[in-house]
Amino acid sequence: MNQDAKKLDPCSPIQVGDVPEWHLEADVIVVGFGGAGSCAALAAAEEGANVILLEAASASGGTTALAGGQIYLGGGTPIQTACGFEDSVEDMQAYLTLAAGENVDPERIELYCRDSVAHYEWLVAQGVEFNPEFYGGKHTNTPEYQSLCYSGNEKGFAESKVARPAPRAHKPKSFWEDGGSTLMEALTQAVEQTDIKVYYDTRVLTLVLDGNEVVGLACRQDGEIRYLKANRGVVLCAGGFVMNQEMAARHVPVLQQATPIGNPNDNGSGILMGTGAGGATLNMGEAFISMCWYPSGEFCKGVFVNEQGNRFVNEDCYHARGAHRILNQTHRKV
């Protein structure tokens, strides 16, 4: 008998013996048609895999389409060079190692930095256009069509001592905060030019295991429960959990009074499916936080002190760092 959707829990995968029939089959199934999902699907297809891409919404985009679209690339990209900046893999690696904090993964950072220029070239090959113009002001994004800016603490006191500062935020050529939607337009067109099979309005409910191995998934499609077999793997790119109040309260309780920014499908389902199948999580207590005083530095003319009268942060730091430090002060007051 077909499974009841109400009984399918993302935290509890089902065994292959409970699958009544396979409705579709592919080498690789990717869950989520945002930035990560589209890139994963395209990369798998490039390696010769037969790919199915599933999206809960009626169109591609996800949270990526809502974002400003800045992509962290460096090591000497063509845009950096065209704008007159020198950068190296070593400087990028040293900065990211410091910025990553206590949970740093040296091997992953080394791989990311070493292949950064190749990542840039791959995006261009997918149709993503970058404008070789630098924005030197302090803002959450470039205010017009500039594609290069600083997006972190590269020029910070501690950071500049271990790595030569360089702007590494690469925004696709687009006006102001339209970088994410512009990026997704290009990646969507790239997917549509391949043999990748895309299914919208398809909500993945749980994974299917053969023992401890993931071999497929169950989803709701056209009002029915269907089972999709994955011969070489399932890639979960279903977003975060900012819109799941229960998960947010459990993992990031300090943000209970904050305003979440995301799309309705950022409900943590992909994370729950991954952990339900035995996967491990990392940095679940971290979040990207923004504060209104950051743009242009207009509200950053003095010093920040807490209730004890102590200065606790360099006010010219990246807004996410400042917000994080403020949340950790007594009564979160400055």
Side-chain angles (χ1 to χ4, degrees):
M1 293 180 61
N2 202 353
Q3 295 276 350
D4 185 341
K6 294 181 180 180
K7 296 180 181 179
L8 293 176
D9 183 351
C11 298
S12 303
I14 63 175
Q15 286 296 319
V16 67
D18 294 324
V19 174
E21 63 175 315
W22 295 111
H23 296 83
L24 293 170
E25 181 176 345
D27 294 326
V28 176
I29 300 177
V30 179
V31 182
F33 196 169
S38 55
C39 290
L42 286 165
E46 288 177 354
E47 294 299 317
N50 175 266
V51 182
I52 287 177
L53 178 54
L54 306 177
E55 171 55 46
S58 299
S60 63
T63 302
T64 302
L66 302 177
Q70 294 180 4
I71 307 166
Y72 202 82
L73 300 165
T77 68
I79 293 297
Q80 288 179 311
T81 302
C83 291
F85 292 95
E86 294 184 5
D87 194 15
S88 69
V89 172
E90 293 74 20
D91 282 321
M92 183 181 181
Q93 185 174 344
Y95 170 74
L96 286 179
T97 298
L98 179 62
E102 60 182 15
N103 289 324
V104 62
D105 186 332
E107 292 184 3
R108 186 170 298 176
I109 287 179
E110 191 276 334
L111 178 65
Y112 183 81
C113 296
R114 186 191 69 200
D115 293 342
S116 187
V117 174
H119 294 162
Y120 171 90
E121 293 172 345
W122 184 86
L123 287 168
V124 172
Q126 307 311 311
V128 181
E129 181 182 2
F130 295 96
N131 177 29
E133 184 179 353
F134 170 69
Y135 172 71
K138 182 181 180 184
H139 215 298
T140 54
N141 208 336
T142 66
E144 294 184 356
Y145 291 90
Q146 307 95 333
S147 283
L148 185 66
C149 69
Y150 282 94
S151 65
N153 295 292
E154 292 87 355
K155 294 188 290 185
F157 177 77
E159 290 79 5
S160 61
K161 283 186 171 298
V162 301
R164 178 179 52 178
R168 301 190 182 100
H170 290 60
K171 185 187 80 172
K173 184 179 180 180
S174 54
F175 185 74
W176 213 313
E177 295 286 354
D178 290 342
S181 59
T182 301
L183 173 65
M184 283 310 308
E185 288 176 6
L187 292 175
T188 300
Q189 289 178 12
V191 168
E192 291 173 345
Q193 292 171 4
T194 70
D195 293 329
I196 296 170
K197 296 180 177 63
V198 180
Y199 295 92
Y200 294 108
D201 299 309
T202 300
R203 184 171 299 280
V204 178
L205 303 172
T206 195
L207 296 175
V208 177
L209 304 184
D210 185 355
N212 295 321
E213 181 183 359
V214 177
V215 296
L217 53 83
C219 63
R220 183 168 58 245
Q221 192 178 67
D222 296 330
E224 299 180 358
I225 305 301
R226 295 176 179 171
Y227 300 89
L228 280 59
K229 185 179 180 182
N231 295 316
R232 295 170 60 185
V234 173
V235 185
L236 298 172
C237 301
F241 59 88
V242 69
M243 307 306 284
N244 185 323
Q245 294 183 357
E246 180 181 347
M247 288 185 70
R250 180 166 69 252
H251 296 291
V252 202
V254 71
L255 296 181
Q256 289 188 71
Q257 295 180 355
T259 300
I261 300 176
N263 78 75
N265 292 315
D266 283 330
N267 57 14
S269 60
I271 296 172
L272 296 176
M273 283 186 277
T275 55
T281 58
L282 185 67
N283 296 328
M284 290 287 283
E286 301 292 335
F288 180 88
I289 314 160
S290 183
M291 296 294 291
C292 64
W293 50 261
Y294 182 78
S296 302
E298 294 298 326
F299 304 104
C300 189
K301 306 275 187 193
V303 296
F304 288 175
V305 297
N306 56 21
E307 285 190 327
Q308 291 74 40
N310 297 321
R311 181 172 182 254
F312 58 89
V313 69
N314 174 6
E315 296 79 10
D316 198 38
C317 66
Y318 184 56
H319 59 117
R321 174 180 290 183
H324 173 76
R325 296 288 177 83
I326 289 173
L327 286 173
N328 284 280
Q329 300 308 304
T330 305
H331 300 140
R332 289 180 279 182
K333 289 185 178 181
V334 295

